[in-house]
Amino acid sequence: MRSALTLLLIGWGVLAQENWIQRTMTCGTHCSQGLHCNARPHFTLAPCKRSQALINSTVLHNLKVSTVMKCEKKQNCSLHLKVTATVQINELLRGVSVCTASPSMLEHCRVVTFPRKARARLAGQLVEVQDDCVIEVSPSQNVQVTLRTFPDYCDMTLSRAYRVQGCDNADLRSHVPSCITGKIAYAVDMDRREISVRVSDMLEDRNYHLRLCHRWDICSGTEAYTLLRREDPFKNATLRFFSPLPCLCIEGWTSMVDAPRIQVCPFKNRTEELWSGVTFDSEKGALSWEPGCPVKAVITLCQREGESDCEDLANSTQTTGRKKVTYARVDPHPKLCMKFTTDAGSWIKCPFSDRNFLEWDLMMTEGQGQPQATLTSRIRTKLSLQVCQNGQPLECGEITSVTVEKMSPVPVNLTGDICQPDVCIRVRRADVQFSTHVLQCHLQCTRNRQYLCRADWIFVSAFTFVTLMIIAGLAGNIMLTVYQKRQANRRHARYHQYEHTAGKS
């Protein structure tokens, strides 16, 4: 643990040393041991020399390169290379040369010379040589520094590759003109679609450009632009914007050649704004989306079910970062949506959610005592009708494909089997590549109710008939009994009358 902490502190120390830049008012050349040395430009094409006396000798040691900042005013500083090395004095050496080269410039050399008397007095001793301003350099410049003996003896060189600090360094951003970008503060008014911008710490003797731009490989400008004059006491501006896209940035730069630019993006976290660019070409039936900003996204078409569920349509997945995405031959149904998925999450946009886009529909009716599916459409189209077994997943079999003319309903007769509780009817467009479907399940057929009512009527009629027959039978039995009694009474009366007549005789 202690060793790890030690390494971490050493690493911080190295980084701090690399980022720290020494400041100086004047440049100079210095040598230790009281040695008086001078520096001057040097250029030679002569080949190196060989010396038996210096073979197997190590003359040059510890080459170090750093950056120094020479300032005339607070905002007018230049960068220079500072080179330090240790040299073992030898009477054959008159000095050392320091050469710098980079891809953007020719080799530049300076020679530091030692007095002859000092060379004899300090022969064999180590002297530290320091040249404060070997060459002026630019931010982020790559430089190759080479230290040679003077005269140039073969195999007596030291080299170091060095990269100058960039404009991300705080000292450079504040004091080197080519790094000074100014500081931008802003406030957004979403109701007015305006951004109020204030600029500070800009170059005092220069004008300042300010604009809104969309950042892709470069920042592509919009119409919102203004120039802040150096003599204006307040460096404020108001810029209007159309859409708060995440790549919409405020860009500012000093009015000078190759000036660095600063960009601040107020809406960088508003990813949902990217999905508003969905368009539909009704003539071609093409659904398109063009990214307003570079974004890596997976796009699919899906059918919306409920508030959050959206079932992906087959073969509709596309991946893009910058290019326009187009789906040809799409059915503009209210349930058809476009799903966008990034590393940050998923978003769903339903461009046809308005019921005005509903071009066709399914209605269940009954004709001539038989269930029917009535298909209607506002356009001429071809619809596929299927009967499905309700389950996970649905098991469907196609019944027929019907061409529906504009505003001409087409009835399709169905069998009584669809009235079962586990049967569904599914309809979708068959003349497009991407379409949603309409599904109707748990169909309540009026035919069943008619059969039930007819059965009830037959039962009631039969009950009534039987009841009437019983009543009629009882009534007949009573009437027969009365009739029989009357006949018996009549026979009895005749018998008594006959008996009486016979007695008189």
Side-chain angles (χ1 to χ4, degrees), residues 87-135:
V87 181
Q88 185 176 15
I89 300 297
N90 189 292
E91 291 185 3
L92 296 175
L93 301 182
R94 287 186 285 164
V96 292
S97 66
V98 180
C99 296
T100 57
S102 73
S104 60
M105 69 177 187
L106 297 174
E107 187 177 59
H108 175 274
C109 295
R110 282 164 61 90
V111 63
V112 179
T113 58
F114 309 140
R116 180 180 298 178
K117 293 182 178 179
R119 296 200 307 265
R121 177 173 56 88
L122 298 174
Q125 297 189 33
L126 298 177
V127 173
E128 185 178 85
V129 179
Q130 175 182 307
D131 195 349
D132 292 337
C133 301
V134 173
I135 190 174

Side-chain angles (χ1 to χ4, degrees), residues 42 44-60 87-99 111-112 114 119 146-159:
H42 174 67
T44 181
L45 293 177
C48 64
K49 300 179 179 181
R50 296 193 176 274
S51 172
Q52 291 294 329
L54 295 178
I55 292 178
N56 298 326
S57 299
T58 304
V59 177
L60 306 177
V87 181
Q88 185 176 15
I89 300 297
N90 189 292
E91 291 185 3
L92 296 175
L93 301 182
R94 287 186 285 164
V96 292
S97 66
V98 180
C99 296
V111 63
V112 179
F114 309 140
R119 296 200 307 265
T146 302
L147 183 67
R148 298 186 178 94
T149 59
F150 179 72
D152 184 9
Y153 291 105
C154 298
D155 301 324
M156 297 286 176
T157 61
L158 281 180
S159 293

Side-chain angles (χ1 to χ4, degrees), residues 222-420:
T222 67
E223 295 181 357
Y225 166 83
T226 189
L227 180 67
L228 302 180
R229 301 284 181 181
R230 58 186 177 184
E231 59 269 16
D232 293 341
F234 302 104
K235 304 300 188 292
N236 300 331
T238 299
L239 303 174
R240 295 186 60 83
F241 65 93
F242 175 72
S243 179
L245 293 171
C247 62
L248 181 67
C249 302
I250 308 166
E251 186 177 56
W253 70 98
T254 304
S255 184
M256 58 185 289
V257 178
D258 296 330
R261 303 191 178 201
I262 184 174
Q263 294 172 356
V264 179
C265 306
F267 312 110
K268 61 182 179 180
N269 294 324
R270 298 186 61 140
T271 311
E272 67 277 6
E273 297 293 336
L274 291 174
W275 324 126
S276 59
V278 179
T279 58
F280 180 69
D281 187 332
S282 57
E283 293 184 0
K284 298 180 180 180
L287 184 64
S288 302
W289 171 74
E290 188 169 8
C293 298
V295 58
K296 186 176 181 181
V298 176
I299 299 94
T300 56
L301 296 181
C302 61
Q303 177 165 340
R304 192 73 177 261
E305 299 292 347
E307 293 297 326
S308 58
D309 294 337
C310 202
E311 181 182 355
D312 292 347
L313 300 188
N315 303 319
S316 67
T317 300
Q318 297 190 44
T319 302
T320 187
R322 300 169 180 266
K323 295 182 180 180
K324 186 176 182 179
V325 173
T326 300
Y327 293 93
R329 299 171 58 214
V330 172
D331 176 26
H333 195 276
K335 289 187 176 182
L336 190 137
C337 306
M338 190 175 282
K339 183 192 295 184
F340 305 89
T341 303
T342 70
D343 293 338
S346 294
W347 292 263
I348 296 175
K349 290 292 182 180
C350 303
F352 313 114
S353 57
D354 189 342
R355 294 289 294 181
N356 290 331
F357 281 100
L358 186 60
E359 294 186 336
W360 62 271
D361 204 357
L362 164 69
M363 293 185 298
M364 296 303 299
T365 58
E366 184 176 356
Q368 299 179 355
Q370 187 175 9
Q372 289 182 336
T374 301
L375 305 174
T376 60
S377 178
R378 297 192 299 182
I379 61 172
R380 188 180 189 276
T381 185
K382 187 176 182 180
L383 299 177
S384 172
L385 185 67
Q386 295 177 315
V387 173
C388 305
Q389 197 76 22
N390 197 0
Q392 295 294 335
L394 286 175
E395 296 181 2
C396 301
E398 186 169 351
I399 299 177
T400 184
S401 292
V402 180
T403 298
V404 183
E405 299 293 339
K406 180 179 180 181
M407 305 305 292
S408 298
V410 176
V412 178
N413 292 328
L414 304 173
T415 64
D417 296 340
I418 68 163
C419 300
Q420 298 177 11

Side-chain angles (χ1 to χ4, degrees), residues 208-220:
Y208 195 83
H209 300 273
L210 204 61
R211 70 169 183 170
L212 293 182
C213 60
H214 291 111
R215 186 165 65 185
W216 291 70
D217 293 329
I218 60 173
C219 216
S220 177

Side-chain angles (χ1 to χ4, degrees), residues 497-505:
Q497 183 179 7
Y498 170 77
E499 188 179 43
H500 181 72
T501 303
K504 287 183 179 183
S505 304

